[in-house]
Amino acid sequence: MNLVEYEADSTWRSAVSRRTTGQKLRDLFAAYLRLDVIEEIMFPASNALAYLALVVPAFMYYFQSIFLHTRSQYMSILIGVAVAAGLQEALTGLTTRLQFAQERGVLETYLIEPISWRLIPLGMNVWKSFVGIVITLITIAIGCALGGRIDFSGLPLFFVLLLLGVLASNGLGLFAASFLILFKRGSPVMAVYGLLGALVGGSLFSITVLPPAIRWASYLAPQAYVISGARSLLTPHAGATAMPLWLPFVVLGLASVLSIITGLWVFERALHRAQVMGILGT
């Protein structure tokens, strides 16, 4: 390395070291968002089909409600399905990204940036979290276009509730990502969570109809809180909800903070352990 290259390298390292944590997070988010947007642009047909698929559940449950003479329950069911789909995107986004990096052998290149490894998942799942929110909102909008009615005054609080649900799902996704780093398989964790959410999350029915012996499991799934709160806010006259409106906000707020803090620590430890074992890039 000649003198000019050494001085340039020293200047770059000095500038990097002076960045605050906020600036590092901003640059990290911008970099991963750019990668995700480029990927979206590179495969326009597949992405267009993915968004077009949102029409299917909206129409399916619409015609089902006509056939079963349950039009008054249409939006209540669709809201549950829309929320579950949106949270699933936020939940699986990080493991999908990591598995893609492992398969291409570029995971270790993500770790050479001069930032804490704990910050990496915060950037890697921003786009998928945003997509999850968009999927939920688009599905509900399609239902409204088909004649479903919601209470629009509840939309601001619903958006806050959905955001809390996405954050809690990100926290849970960190544990699945840690499992993936160490064992190269995230599917067992995701499968258990997916079954739990599908059965007791309340996407197709209120959890009040579940037997008390298994109803307790509903309170372990973020979907149950978001869906119950969403139905209370957007379809207050569609029937009884499973829990008071304040409870989802409190539980999801606490769950978001605790799961993200704990999940980031576990994720960093998993990376260090994989590096020591020599399996990080394999």
Side-chain angles (χ1 to χ4, degrees), residues 210-242:
L210 292 171
I214 63 173
R215 190 183 305 169
W216 63 268
S218 301
Y219 298 97
L220 301 178
Q223 294 102 315
Y225 296 96
V226 182
I227 292 171
S228 178
R231 286 171 175 159
S232 296
L233 289 167
L234 301 181
T235 58
H237 305 296
T241 55

Side-chain angles (χ1 to χ4, degrees), residues 40 51 85-86 89-90 126-137:
E40 290 280 326
Y51 286 104
E89 284 287 323
V126 170
W127 178 255
K128 280 294 186 179
S129 298
F130 172 74
V131 169
I133 293 174
V134 170
I135 284 175
T136 302
L137 297 178

Side-chain angles (χ1 to χ4, degrees), residues 161 164-165 168 221-223 225-226 247-257:
L161 186 66
L164 289 174
Q223 294 102 315
Y225 296 96
V226 182
L247 185 60
F249 288 94
V250 173
V251 172
L252 289 173
L254 291 174
S256 299
V257 174

Side-chain angles (χ1 to χ4, degrees), residues 62-244:
Y62 173 74
F63 291 119
Q64 182 188 63
S65 68
I66 294 177
F67 178 71
L68 298 176
H69 305 288
T70 56
R71 285 291 303 275
S72 61
Q73 300 295 320
Y74 168 60
M75 283 307 295
S76 180
I77 294 175
L78 189 62
I79 286 171
V81 173
V83 167
L87 295 187
Q88 188 69 12
E89 284 287 323
L91 176 72
T92 60
L94 180 56
T95 52
T96 301
R97 186 69 176 269
L98 287 174
Q99 196 159 19
F100 181 78
Q102 283 183 333
E103 291 171 354
R104 291 201 170 187
V106 297
L107 177 58
E108 289 180 304
T109 63
Y110 290 161
L111 309 178
I112 62 175
E113 293 296 327
I115 57 175
S116 170
W117 286 357
R118 295 185 186 182
L119 301 180
I120 292 175
L122 297 178
M124 293 183 74
N125 207 28
V126 170
W127 178 255
K128 280 294 186 179
S129 298
F130 172 74
V131 169
I133 293 174
V134 170
I135 284 175
T136 302
L137 297 178
I138 289 178
T139 305
I140 293 175
I142 294 173
C144 292
L146 292 175
R149 296 182 179 181
I150 62 172
D151 184 356
F152 288 95
S153 64
L155 280 176
L157 280 179
F158 165 67
F159 185 79
V160 174
L161 186 66
L162 181 60
L163 182 59
L164 289 174
V166 166
L167 290 175
S169 297
N170 271 265
L172 292 175
L174 287 167
F175 293 98
S178 303
F179 192 94
L180 175 66
I181 290 292
L182 291 174
F183 302 103
K184 310 305 175 187
R185 297 287 181 183
S187 53
V189 178
M190 309 308 291
V192 172
Y193 179 85
L195 289 173
L196 179 67
L199 178 63
V200 299
S203 58
L204 296 178
F205 49 80
S206 173
I207 64 174
T208 55
V209 304
L210 292 171
I214 63 173
R215 190 183 305 169
W216 63 268
S218 301
Y219 298 97
L220 301 178
Q223 294 102 315
Y225 296 96
V226 182
I227 292 171
S228 178
R231 286 171 175 159
S232 296
L233 289 167
L234 301 181
T235 58
H237 305 296
T241 55
M243 58 189 74

